[in-house]
Amino acid sequence: MDIQSISFASRFNGISGSAIREIFKLLAVPGMISFAGGNPAAAALPDRQCAELAKELLLDKGKSLLQYGATEGYAPLRESLVPYLKDRFSFDCKADEILPVTGSTQAMDLLCKALIDPGDKIAVESPTFLGNMQCMKLYQAQLLPVDSDEDGIRVDQLEEVFKKEHPKMLYVIPTFQNPTGRTLSLERRKKIAELAARYGVVVAEDDPYRDLRYAGQELPSIKSFDTEGWVAFLGSFSKVISPGLRVGFLCASPALLRKCVIGKQSSDVHTANLNQAIVDAYLRRGLLMPHVERICQSYAEQMNTMLGLLAKCGGVARYTRPEGGLFIFAELNEGMNAVELLKTCVDQGVAYVPGTYFYPAGGHENAIRLNFSMCTVEQIKTGMEKLNTVFTANLK
Amino acid sequence: MDIQSISFASRFNGISGSAIREIFKLLAVPGMISFAGGNPAAAALPDRQCAELAKELLLDKGKSLLQYGATEGYAPLRESLVPYLKDRFSFDCKADEILPVTGSTQAMDLLCKALIDPGDKIAVESPTFLGNMQCMKLYQAQLLPVDSDEDGIRVDQLEEVFKKEHPKMLYVIPTFQNPTGRTLSLERRKKIAELAARYGVVVAEDDPYRDLRYAGQELPSIKSFDTEGWVAFLGSFSKVISPGLRVGFLCASPALLRKCVIGKQSSDVHTANLNQAIVDAYLRRGLLMPHVERICQSYAEQMNTMLGLLAKCGGVARYTRPEGGLFIFAELNEGMNAVELLKTCVDQGVAYVPGTYFYPAGGHENAIRLNFSMCTVEQIKTGMEKLNTVFTANLK
């Protein structure tokens, strides 16, 4: 029988792979200035430190690091995450309420695995992170978009959705959101924890950018207001140490975490021990925050340069003013189409991600997501000038 | 609302987690002689070599290894797998038909993700690997057990199952099978490739033990007889380099592999680059096979010691005689219950895994799986003496 007659699972109906990851493939052109990625700067990746740590850890405890590990995670990392979470995210949890995972993407996958049957509903910010939307769609969830404004997701709309639609989950990125860069206000954080408990909705609080703050005041996590256990917290070291190591973590109430552990047994058995041990060393030896401070200095300058130039960029009607993270979200004048203009921009040597991809219901073709972490200040100036040229030539 | 009112996805109905992994937790007693695991010996884990490689690779190309990688995998590893597969598994494939994964467990997960809707049927050997049975059950597949004998899965039964039940997949471990240690004969390998193409069934050929051969003749993979692309090959470096690094790979026809790549985007984005680069170095620099030869010498002696003592062990009615791998499968006398006897054995300081867990339909309470890789020859002698004592005292 011809292999073309193979039939795939219905979860793939309507799924075509990440549009962003396809765009990235087009950008491997020398000299391209890319505002499209969401990657850390090369300078922010601690290669020498990791080289020394990897060698030291493997010489010191290689026999156990190279052996099978527990699905529940590398015990020292679970322990060192406890004070980190208390200190940085303002919540108490026990080591056995923490599951190290293979990047926080896997945390989202495991939450869906634990909770979502086809047709189940998940409330999401509109716009939100594309990768996790694809995850939810592969679990055949129905996504319920909730509008966001300068203070993050609108909790008035959210309560209506909870009341009427009874979603199983809310997916929210509270700090320096992807793609908008916005931060959820303190009041809304409290309110979301309260609504979750009132309506029995699991909140997947995805907070990978928090440590990249360049201005303003830190806010406590939604999880810190969680008294009943409905908030599951997704953490990542991809933006502050290395995405290539694939280490994140999930904190959740015991019964939910147990289901995620069982799900993880057949996802990848456990997260690579060496990678967990490297992250543990960053936490345990106090290496993380000094490293974060170093990279924030540079990112702040990059962001401020881009914000300054956006104010003067032709065709840009409005844009967000983040206090940290990796992204600025802008809207071009009504009628300008960012998907079509991308081709021209790429020809001119500059790229962004059209904002429409981040909207669960599509539309918003005039929106663009700009990343500033991967470019030098000089590149940002050159790239913004190119955008200005293209947008000004295509004004509407 | 109380968190106890949380409701989980229906895929967890009847799933309670890996019985084996729960047994392992009971074995963390000093002095316990465990024949229960499936782990490489500590001596087989190349900690110093990995320490040097990790440092060298991170110093040399740390900026790219610590950055996000392609979901499709680390390009040098995909390339170095091509001659490895040709040489060791006798089949040709292109680099872009290979997907590095986070342990071959993930390959199975991605195949199910790509192919299995709830209720779809998967033919499996009876008995077979517990971990992947759990994976299939979490995709709500219906497992169709097919008997096996000294030459592996019975292809006469298999053809009947293909004809009558139209499964979407066959899951098979052709070499030194887990749990039986048996190897599928050459004729049956050919026949399975032929049946797969005739009936349009994807074969998941899971071959992690192949390089651990201590006697007899190597056989070509099922995939080497695959002319139509129905065979998907699952490879692993867990048994020959390190399970803790979590690196395996999947070879499949392009359309199927593409679905697995899309599935992997939201599973864990990509497998950790450093871990892929370490495995690549083993292949590229010719470090793998000399390492394998070293560990095989020791494993052969361990296996032969256990086989010799099984011949004299009270209550053992029959056992398999593997030519490699990590496991021997034995049957106690009819009426002896290996699940109940395990408690007594653990009290005496020796452990195994009851064979019943490996049978999709249960039963076979007199069967046991014995692993020899994690014990010294002395420990094997002591442990087998303990088993002899317990079994002889409980003869039926």
Side-chain angles (χ1 to χ4, degrees), chain A residues 177-193:
Chain A
Q177 200 246 16
N178 180 0
T180 65
R182 289 168 178 157
T183 294
L184 189 68
S185 70
L186 180 66
E187 292 65 33
R188 292 189 185 180
R189 287 168 189 246
K190 286 182 190 166
K191 184 74 179 176
I192 287 173

mmCIF file of all heavy atoms in Angstrom, chain A residues 177-193:
data_model
loop_
_atom_site.group_PDB
_atom_site.id
_atom_site.type_symbol
_atom_site.label_atom_id
_atom_site.label_comp_id
_atom_site.label_asym_id
_atom_site.label_seq_id
_atom_site.Cartn_x
_atom_site.Cartn_y
_atom_site.Cartn_z
ATOM 1 N N GLN A 177 4.257 40.473 28.565
ATOM 2 C CA GLN A 177 3.565 39.431 27.807
ATOM 3 C C GLN A 177 4.103 39.279 26.390
ATOM 4 O O GLN A 177 4.569 40.250 25.786
ATOM 5 C CB GLN A 177 2.059 39.768 27.778
ATOM 6 C CG GLN A 177 1.149 38.586 27.464
ATOM 7 C CD GLN A 177 0.417 38.745 26.135
ATOM 8 O OE1 GLN A 177 0.780 39.580 25.307
ATOM 9 N NE2 GLN A 177 -0.587 37.922 25.923
ATOM 10 N N ASN A 178 4.043 38.093 25.886
ATOM 11 C CA ASN A 178 4.330 37.795 24.492
ATOM 12 C C ASN A 178 3.000 37.681 23.780
ATOM 13 O O ASN A 178 2.205 36.811 24.147
ATOM 14 C CB ASN A 178 5.102 36.460 24.400
ATOM 15 C CG ASN A 178 5.449 36.080 22.971
ATOM 16 O OD1 ASN A 178 5.131 36.780 22.016
ATOM 17 N ND2 ASN A 178 6.092 34.929 22.820
ATOM 18 N N PRO A 179 2.660 38.529 22.817
ATOM 19 C CA PRO A 179 3.534 39.433 22.085
ATOM 20 C C PRO A 179 3.511 40.898 22.549
ATOM 21 O O PRO A 179 4.255 41.697 22.001
ATOM 22 C CB PRO A 179 2.927 39.374 20.682
ATOM 23 C CG PRO A 179 1.455 39.277 20.934
ATOM 24 C CD PRO A 179 1.343 38.411 22.170
ATOM 25 N N THR A 180 2.708 41.276 23.524
ATOM 26 C CA THR A 180 2.462 42.714 23.710
ATOM 27 C C THR A 180 3.511 43.416 24.568
ATOM 28 O O THR A 180 3.619 44.643 24.525
ATOM 29 C CB THR A 180 1.088 42.967 24.376
ATOM 30 O OG1 THR A 180 1.129 42.412 25.699
ATOM 31 C CG2 THR A 180 -0.038 42.351 23.591
ATOM 32 N N GLY A 181 4.221 42.674 25.415
ATOM 33 C CA GLY A 181 5.146 43.310 26.341
ATOM 34 C C GLY A 181 4.463 43.886 27.576
ATOM 35 O O GLY A 181 5.123 44.404 28.479
ATOM 36 N N ARG A 182 3.131 43.799 27.633
ATOM 37 C CA ARG A 182 2.395 44.397 28.746
ATOM 38 C C ARG A 182 2.459 43.553 30.009
ATOM 39 O O ARG A 182 2.645 42.346 29.960
ATOM 40 C CB ARG A 182 0.924 44.568 28.372
ATOM 41 C CG ARG A 182 0.671 45.638 27.345
ATOM 42 C CD ARG A 182 -0.761 45.496 26.864
ATOM 43 N NE ARG A 182 -1.117 46.526 25.894
ATOM 44 C CZ ARG A 182 -2.113 46.383 25.017
ATOM 45 N NH1 ARG A 182 -2.819 45.253 24.974
ATOM 46 N NH2 ARG A 182 -2.384 47.349 24.179
ATOM 47 N N THR A 183 2.224 44.220 31.136
ATOM 48 C CA THR A 183 2.238 43.549 32.434
ATOM 49 C C THR A 183 0.873 43.679 33.092
ATOM 50 O O THR A 183 0.277 44.758 33.138
ATOM 51 C CB THR A 183 3.340 44.165 33.318
ATOM 52 O OG1 THR A 183 4.600 43.839 32.716
ATOM 53 C CG2 THR A 183 3.304 43.608 34.725
ATOM 54 N N LEU A 184 0.392 42.552 33.575
ATOM 55 C CA LEU A 184 -0.900 42.482 34.250
ATOM 56 C C LEU A 184 -0.821 43.243 35.570
ATOM 57 O O LEU A 184 0.127 43.055 36.344
ATOM 58 C CB LEU A 184 -1.206 41.000 34.508
ATOM 59 C CG LEU A 184 -2.581 40.601 35.006
ATOM 60 C CD1 LEU A 184 -3.642 40.836 33.933
ATOM 61 C CD2 LEU A 184 -2.575 39.114 35.408
ATOM 62 N N SER A 185 -1.821 44.085 35.830
ATOM 63 C CA SER A 185 -1.784 44.913 37.044
ATOM 64 C C SER A 185 -1.977 44.072 38.302
ATOM 65 O O SER A 185 -2.472 42.945 38.250
ATOM 66 C CB SER A 185 -2.895 45.961 36.970
ATOM 67 O OG SER A 185 -4.151 45.323 37.110
ATOM 68 N N LEU A 186 -1.575 44.652 39.427
ATOM 69 C CA LEU A 186 -1.695 43.970 40.717
ATOM 70 C C LEU A 186 -3.141 43.575 41.011
ATOM 71 O O LEU A 186 -3.429 42.445 41.411
ATOM 72 C CB LEU A 186 -1.157 44.888 41.829
ATOM 73 C CG LEU A 186 -1.208 44.320 43.243
ATOM 74 C CD1 LEU A 186 -0.265 43.129 43.373
ATOM 75 C CD2 LEU A 186 -0.839 45.387 44.278
ATOM 76 N N GLU A 187 -4.060 44.507 40.778
ATOM 77 C CA GLU A 187 -5.461 44.242 41.075
ATOM 78 C C GLU A 187 -5.970 43.059 40.264
ATOM 79 O O GLU A 187 -6.697 42.205 40.745
ATOM 80 C CB GLU A 187 -6.328 45.474 40.766
ATOM 81 C CG GLU A 187 -6.087 46.658 41.694
ATOM 82 C CD GLU A 187 -4.676 47.241 41.567
ATOM 83 O OE1 GLU A 187 -4.118 47.221 40.441
ATOM 84 O OE2 GLU A 187 -4.115 47.672 42.598
ATOM 85 N N ARG A 188 -5.577 43.042 38.995
ATOM 86 C CA ARG A 188 -6.057 41.956 38.136
ATOM 87 C C ARG A 188 -5.437 40.614 38.527
ATOM 88 O O ARG A 188 -6.075 39.575 38.387
ATOM 89 C CB ARG A 188 -5.771 42.293 36.671
ATOM 90 C CG ARG A 188 -6.621 43.461 36.183
ATOM 91 C CD ARG A 188 -6.523 43.663 34.690
ATOM 92 N NE ARG A 188 -7.263 44.857 34.291
ATOM 93 C CZ ARG A 188 -7.362 45.284 33.028
ATOM 94 N NH1 ARG A 188 -6.758 44.617 32.054
ATOM 95 N NH2 ARG A 188 -8.070 46.365 32.755
ATOM 96 N N ARG A 189 -4.210 40.659 38.993
ATOM 97 C CA ARG A 189 -3.593 39.408 39.469
ATOM 98 C C ARG A 189 -4.413 38.816 40.617
ATOM 99 O O ARG A 189 -4.739 37.626 40.612
ATOM 100 C CB ARG A 189 -2.149 39.674 39.919
ATOM 101 C CG ARG A 189 -1.211 39.920 38.756
ATOM 102 C CD ARG A 189 0.155 40.463 39.172
ATOM 103 N NE ARG A 189 0.876 40.862 37.979
ATOM 104 C CZ ARG A 189 1.999 40.280 37.519
ATOM 105 N NH1 ARG A 189 2.556 39.311 38.197
ATOM 106 N NH2 ARG A 189 2.562 40.685 36.403
ATOM 107 N N LYS A 190 -4.732 39.682 41.577
ATOM 108 C CA LYS A 190 -5.553 39.223 42.703
ATOM 109 C C LYS A 190 -6.902 38.692 42.218
ATOM 110 O O LYS A 190 -7.372 37.643 42.638
ATOM 111 C CB LYS A 190 -5.814 40.385 43.671
ATOM 112 C CG LYS A 190 -4.622 40.777 44.509
ATOM 113 C CD LYS A 190 -5.016 41.903 45.469
ATOM 114 C CE LYS A 190 -3.779 42.475 46.151
ATOM 115 N NZ LYS A 190 -4.043 43.757 46.821
ATOM 116 N N LYS A 191 -7.485 39.448 41.301
ATOM 117 C CA LYS A 191 -8.832 39.106 40.824
ATOM 118 C C LYS A 191 -8.828 37.759 40.101
ATOM 119 O O LYS A 191 -9.767 36.959 40.246
ATOM 120 C CB LYS A 191 -9.311 40.218 39.886
ATOM 121 C CG LYS A 191 -10.729 40.062 39.389
ATOM 122 C CD LYS A 191 -11.745 40.385 40.463
ATOM 123 C CE LYS A 191 -13.177 40.252 39.943
ATOM 124 N NZ LYS A 191 -14.158 40.480 41.017
ATOM 125 N N ILE A 192 -7.790 37.506 39.313
ATOM 126 C CA ILE A 192 -7.727 36.243 38.565
ATOM 127 C C ILE A 192 -7.629 35.058 39.527
ATOM 128 O O ILE A 192 -8.306 34.042 39.355
ATOM 129 C CB ILE A 192 -6.557 36.263 37.556
ATOM 130 C CG1 ILE A 192 -6.918 37.188 36.394
ATOM 131 C CG2 ILE A 192 -6.244 34.856 37.044
ATOM 132 C CD1 ILE A 192 -5.782 37.426 35.414
ATOM 133 N N ALA A 193 -6.808 35.193 40.576
ATOM 134 C CA ALA A 193 -6.711 34.117 41.563
ATOM 135 C C ALA A 193 -8.065 33.858 42.205
ATOM 136 O O ALA A 193 -8.478 32.710 42.424
ATOM 137 C CB ALA A 193 -5.666 34.463 42.618
#
